[in-house]
Amino acid sequence: MTQENLPAPGRGAWNKAETIESLGGDEELLRELVEIFVDQSPKLLNKLRDAISSFDAEGVMRAAHSIKGELSCLGALAAAKTAQKLETMGGKKEMAGASEMFTSLERELKALKLSLADFTQS
């Protein structure tokens, strides 16, 4: 993974302090959420990729909704917004640009996973 494939540094993949605060200061709960995300996100991304490539708008909507929920729980708002856009595209059955949006989401998730790895190793 190269740095040019990651979101700009100022954009930030997530804000750990804000996320912990939103969880009532429960860092252990955040660790559990991170574990679930790390385990589930590749499966959800595969479902989303498959739905996009087969022009399955309902599948795009469902998979993007699930990803958005996980990202929101982690406080990864930029990536959640991208997933929301994909969810809306699927809901409206307007799939033009979905592949490009998916590529953007993948890039954001790579940056997030790097940040989460720093958190879990601390």
Side-chain angles (χ1 to χ4, degrees), residues 47-109:
K47 284 183 181 181
L48 183 55
R49 180 184 296 113
D50 292 346
I52 290 169
S53 60
S54 64
F55 301 99
D56 175 7
E58 187 172 322
V60 169
M61 183 180 68
R62 283 192 315 263
H65 178 79
S66 296
I67 293 168
K68 178 189 75 179
E70 289 191 9
L71 292 168
S72 295
C73 286
L74 291 174
L77 302 181
K81 186 174 182 177
T82 303
Q84 171 65 53
K85 289 176 184 176
L86 280 164
E87 180 183 5
T88 300
M89 292 170 88
K92 292 181 176 182
K93 296 181 177 23
E94 295 174 0
M95 301 299 293
S99 292
E100 293 81 4
M101 189 71 59
F102 177 81
T103 300
S104 177
L105 180 61
E106 272 188 314
R107 193 171 36 250
E108 290 169 343
L109 291 181

Side-chain angles (χ1 to χ4, degrees), residues 8 14 17 20 22 33 101 116:
W14 74 310
I20 290 173
S22 75
L33 291 173
M101 189 71 59
L116 294 176

